[in-house]
Amino acid sequence: MSALDNIRVVLVGTLYTGNVGSACRAMANMGIRKLRLAAPNLQNSWDEGERLAVHANDVLDSREEFASLEEAVADCVAVVGTTAREGLYRQHVKAPRDCAADILALAETGPVALVFGREDKGLLNEEIAQCTHLIRIPVDKGYTSINLAQAVLITCYEFFAASGSYIPPHEKAPPAPQAQKMQLVKNWSKMLMEIGFMKPEQEDHFMQGFHRVFSRGVVTKDDAALMLGVARQAIWAKRNAANAAPTA
Amino acid sequence: MSALDNIRVVLVGTLYTGNVGSACRAMANMGIRKLRLAAPNLQNSWDEGERLAVHANDVLDSREEFASLEEAVADCVAVVGTTAREGLYRQHVKAPRDCAADILALAETGPVALVFGREDKGLLNEEIAQCTHLIRIPVDKGYTSINLAQAVLITCYEFFAASGSYIPPHEKAPPAPQAQKMQLVKNWSKMLMEIGFMKPEQEDHFMQGFHRVFSRGVVTKDDAALMLGVARQAIWAKRNAANAAPTA
């Protein structure tokens, strides 16, 4: 069993089923599947919620409902509140990336609640007072109002990343050793003289440029011009094969 | 100017205005404000898009439209494609967290495009072929289909985090030095004997427990029982002040 299985996403006083459905999808994306609704205050039908859950309907269907936050988190070993606000009672708030690993370690020992407040008012002070940990999602100062399902996504994403469940993609082809790279420079030098791109006395100058491009790719306009020149010269050499005498 | 100002979010062949609107809000949350639509294929009216952009309508309203991905990224120094798929042409794909800082460094030198494909089909192979970098958002194997605006959010979040624009919250109160902590243990010991919680010969045993709780908080059932005992005894001592003789 993964520690992620011990995560409970707890939505408090949620107003719109669409946000619940979108949250289910976000949870499923991040390997978190247990949803609790505390004192839901839903203003619309489940049609929208079911539509937005897309293929995460199992998360939505297996939700648990509680009359209050207190009841929803009674069995939890840690209660992690999310808050956009600063100030009173909130001075120990952390960014999710800075505490996900520690909280996930607690989830090895029992259920851990990630608690999200109402769309309009967030968590009330008496709900914040029930939290053992507080997190705030980093957002730009110019636009701090984050959608409920988006907040669920980023929080779950940080726990998913901290869980190590995800193995980052890595390139399967082996890296080129230096000897092969220097052989590449040598053979290109030969080819570039053969097609008339450069003369022997220009070799040092140009091959520094090609070595740079081989090492880091085409970055500058000079890099691009150099490689465009090769294409142009190779075509010219092919079309004028009869009269283009090798320069070396 | 921040490197984030040089980020262009490019949505290719998007089908639903709601996803564009939600993407605008996600971008604004993460300090990224320049949106480009490449060959949009919108199936519904802008009403939904405008509704979901909430207060990020300026991002939506200032969007640029292009007939193709090629035109939308022509001025960019890096074109970063997002792909959920593995395989052909995609072997150099990276997780956003593993490459955001390097790509952001390129954004110091010119516009950088973050490219997102269609809701149903993602980016076509000929579009992937135009990308200088490829990223894949980590998701759970059990549910890999991520909503377009959610993908925009996580990608922008990683660039926002990499930009260092966000200063993580930190506690303003200064940490307690060891001398103060030991004074706390000493004074509590005195108080606990005063209220009849423990006898002098139990001091070593109990104070180890309190020191543990002071150091890491209430973690175990034993910790909670210990602190519940203090509350019970303090109330008892107060109510029986007349007959409760101090034990020390």
Side-chain angles (χ1 to χ4, degrees), chain A residues 29 140 145 150 157-158, chain B residues 25 29 140 145 150 157-158:
Chain A
N29 283 149
D140 188 59
S145 158
Q150 303 277 51
Y157 168 69
E158 287 292 359
Chain B
R25 187 174 178 184
N29 282 149
D140 189 60
S145 159
Q150 303 277 50
Y157 168 69
E158 287 292 359

Side-chain angles (χ1 to χ4, degrees), chain A residues 15 17 27 45 67 76 84 86 95 98 112 128 176 191 193 198 240:
Chain A
L15 296 170
T17 64
M27 290 166 60
S45 82
C76 293
E86 302 195 40
D98 295 338
V112 166
I128 290 286
M191 176 272 286
M193 285 193 273
M198 65 180 185
N240 298 273

Side-chain angles (χ1 to χ4, degrees), chain A residues 42-80:
Chain A
L42 297 168
Q43 305 295 310
N44 63 344
S45 82
W46 276 112
D47 292 354
E48 198 191 353
E50 278 160 17
R51 186 170 63 81
L52 289 172
V54 192
H55 298 296
N57 285 96
D58 56 322
V59 176
L60 184 61
D61 294 343
S62 62
R63 72 185 179 275
E64 299 173 283
E65 293 203 12
F66 298 85
S68 66
L69 174 60
E70 187 178 355
E71 291 170 46
V73 300
D75 64 341
C76 293
V77 299
V79 178
V80 183

